């Protein structure tokens, strides 16, 4: 592959970015010589220990290849096939996993809740749980919360506690989709425990990929009982890496000197810069508060087409027809300014 086949830095997704230097260096280091396979290696042990340090508690840690696997396998471990999972209608588990949660949980149904700014309203949990309690309806058993949400907002500590209290009262366990957990931690300026186990989360899917690794998410069980036989579930689903050290080593690189937080803080800052530039443009309508590393903006159709023609890539299907602009660990101020200048020239020709 030549350099010419690379595309310029884009705002399409934070997974367009490459591997950050800290994760890459750890993989190079892990590549020296042989190591025991299937996770019985020092890198996997070290990565899990660092995750326990980050959360300041005993927890069970498993590394899987991607977020779809992390979400669906963790949800499957909370439910029987006749149960149901409550999540926001924009949740990745509903809109972007091809039915994997239902598949891996053998038919567990996903039930959708509305909610402004990508967030679930606690009252809707009670409403959904009590809507049907008869034998003919799948029994609600899990609540899935996305932190940061699909539209880049965050649940505060108090919001989380209210939601998980409502969940507990209805007998639901709580799973958190943290594909962008790092971005939420820095946005809220909290320690990771405050928005996970201390706030009533049973299991977290801790995202590495969008934060700067090549591949791999960590499934972190705070409720240790729920982690029972999860290793078998991963293996059966094709999610047990034989060369596990290469999923684990990047986490060591990311966590040991807080690179994960630095990268997330940078991505969030770039989004704030982009948000400020776009807000200054009449004709561009920002859709959600910019709290993490995304900006959602409504633009006239011809402007979207013209931006695409200028080579900019971004999604337009995540929330209605909004353009979703994602910043990543390697987004530069110049990238943001170039995008904003192009947009300005199209909204105000001449
Ligand atoms: C990206 C993402 C995931 C994981 O997606 P994969 O492509 O399966 O790795 C999960 N949840 C959310 C909210 C995401 O944005």
């Amino acid at each position: 592959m030549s350099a010419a086949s690379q595309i310029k830095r884009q705002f399409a997704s934070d997974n367009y970015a490459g591997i950050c230097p800290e994760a890459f260096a750890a993989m190079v280091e892990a590549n020296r010589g042989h190591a025991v396979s299937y996770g019985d290696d020092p890198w996997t042990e070290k990565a899990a220990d660092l995750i326990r340090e980050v959360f300041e508690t005993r927890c069970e840690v498993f590394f899987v290849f991607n977020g779809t696997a992390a979400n669906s396998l963790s949800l499957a471990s909370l439910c029987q096939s006749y149960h149901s999972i409550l999540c926001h209608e924009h949740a990745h588990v509903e809109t972007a996993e091809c039915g994997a949660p239902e598949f891996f949980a053998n038919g567990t149904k996903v039930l959708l809740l509305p909610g402004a700014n990508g967030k679930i309203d606690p009252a809707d949990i009670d409403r959904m749980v009590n809507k049907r309690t008869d034998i003919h309806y799948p029994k609600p058993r899990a609540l899935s919360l996305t932190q940061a949400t699909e539209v880049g907002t965050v649940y505060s500590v108090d919001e989380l506690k209210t939601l998980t209290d409502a969940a507990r009262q209805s007998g639901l366990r709580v799973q958190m989709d943290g594909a962008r957990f790092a971005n939420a931690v820095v946005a809220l300026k909290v320690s990771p425990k405050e928005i996970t186990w201390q706030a009533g989360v049973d299991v977290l899917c801790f995202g590495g990929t969008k934060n700067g690794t090549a591949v791999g998410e960590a499934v972190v069980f705070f409720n240790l009982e729920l982690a029972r036989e999860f290793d078998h579930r991963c293996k059966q689903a094709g999610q047990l890496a034989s060369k596990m050290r290469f999923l684990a080593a990047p986490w060591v690189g990311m966590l040991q000197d807080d690179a994960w937080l630095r990268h997330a803080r940078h991505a969030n800052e770039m989004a704030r810069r982009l948000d400020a530039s776009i807000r200054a443009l009449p004709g561009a309508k920002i859709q959600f508060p910019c709290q993490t590393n995304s900006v959602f903006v409504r633009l006239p159709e011809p402007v979207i087409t013209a931006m695409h023609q200028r080579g900019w890539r971004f999604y337009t299907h995540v929330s209605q027809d909004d353009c979703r602009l994602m910043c990543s660990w390697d987004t530069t101020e110049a990238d943001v300014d170039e995008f904003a200048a192009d947009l300005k020239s199209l909204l105000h020709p001449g």
Side-chain angles (χ1 to χ4, degrees):
M1 290 280 272
S2 69
S5 65
Q6 292 179 353
I7 54 171
K8 70 172 170 177
R9 280 189 298 275
Q10 292 284 350
F11 294 91
S13 179
D14 27 6
N15 61 23
Y16 270 43
I19 307 168
C20 68
E22 297 84 355
F24 203 84
M27 284 181 89
V28 170
E29 188 62 34
N31 198 34
R32 292 179 207 282
H34 283 209
V36 180
S37 54
Y38 297 109
D40 291 326
D41 64 282
W43 287 98
T44 305
E45 190 182 352
K46 173 85 176 159
D49 283 344
L50 283 169
I51 288 176
R52 284 185 273 271
E53 269 177 42
V54 161
F55 290 98
E56 302 174 67
T57 189
R58 271 184 68 207
C59 48
E60 290 275 356
V61 180
F62 303 85
F63 298 97
V64 298
F65 289 104
N66 63 20
T68 299
N71 277 333
S72 46
L73 296 177
S74 63
L75 285 166
S77 73
L78 308 188
C79 298
Q80 297 288 336
S81 58
Y82 50 84
H83 283 142
S84 55
I85 299 157
L86 276 56
C87 69
H88 191 274
E89 60 190 354
H90 288 155
H92 199 271
V93 297
E94 160 67 10
T95 64
E97 299 189 353
C98 201
E102 292 93 334
F103 177 76
F104 282 109
N106 293 312
T108 302
K109 190 176 170 71
V110 173
L111 302 177
L112 306 182
L113 305 177
N117 292 330
K119 297 202 260 183
I120 293 172
D121 182 335
D124 285 325
I125 296 175
D126 299 335
R127 185 184 55 75
M128 185 58 94
V129 168
N130 294 314
K131 192 174 92 173
R132 287 274 300 275
T133 54
D134 59 87
I135 190 77
H136 306 285
Y137 201 66
K139 189 174 163 58
R141 191 55 195 267
L143 171 68
S144 178
L145 299 170
T146 312
Q147 177 82 312
T149 72
E150 282 73 9
V151 297
T153 53
V154 288
Y155 290 104
S156 70
V157 172
D158 285 345
E159 285 173 330
L160 283 174
K161 283 186 175 156
T162 308
L163 284 161
T164 61
D165 280 349
R168 292 269 175 261
Q169 275 164 26
S170 296
L172 310 183
R173 292 152 170 175
V174 181
Q175 181 258 11
M176 178 173 277
D177 175 350
R180 300 191 180 91
F181 183 74
N183 304 88
V185 168
V186 297
L188 288 161
K189 299 189 170 71
V190 290
S191 58
K193 66 181 174 188
E194 291 174 80
I195 55 171
T196 52
W197 60 274
Q198 283 189 343
V201 173
D202 292 306
V203 55
L204 168 73
C205 297
F206 188 1
T209 313
K210 285 170 179 154
N211 193 213
T213 66
V215 63
E217 316 279 290
V219 181
V220 183
F221 284 91
F222 302 108
N223 182 334
L224 303 180
E225 179 58 27
L226 295 173
R228 219 159 49 88
E229 300 184 347
F230 193 73
D231 47 352
H232 290 272
R233 196 182 286 282
C234 288
K235 174 66 193 185
Q236 185 185 49
Q239 290 290 323
L240 179 66
S242 67
K243 292 189 180 177
M244 185 68 90
R245 61 177 147 151
F246 297 109
L247 284 193
W251 284 93
V252 175
M254 296 289 276
L255 296 176
Q256 65 188 358
D257 70 344
D258 285 344
W260 69 294
L261 297 173
R262 272 199 314 281
H263 290 313
R265 197 172 293 119
H266 172 81
N268 289 6
E269 276 165 14
M270 291 303 102
R272 231 176 359 257
R273 184 181 182 91
L274 186 60
D275 179 73
S277 303
I278 294 178
R279 272 179 199 279
L281 304 174
K285 219 166 151 271
I286 295 280
Q287 299 296 307
F288 302 105
C290 176
Q291 296 180 329
T292 54
N293 62 325
S294 57
V295 176
F296 285 76
V297 57
R298 188 118 356 133
L299 295 171
E301 198 57 47
V303 171
I304 296 174
T305 307
M307 286 297 278
H308 287 326
Q309 278 165 356
R310 290 192 184 194
W312 291 111
R313 299 183 187 210
F314 47 86
Y315 293 171
T316 54
H317 60 255
V318 176
S319 124
Q320 298 179 17
D321 297 328
D322 304 333
C323 300
R324 188 193 74 166
L325 307 170
M326 298 298 314
C327 295
S328 52
W329 66 270
D330 70 345
T331 303
T332 65
E333 291 186 354
D335 297 333
V336 170
D337 296 348
E338 192 192 338
F339 185 94
D342 271 353
L343 190 54
K344 185 175 179 184
S345 74
L346 290 166
L347 284 166
H348 306 277

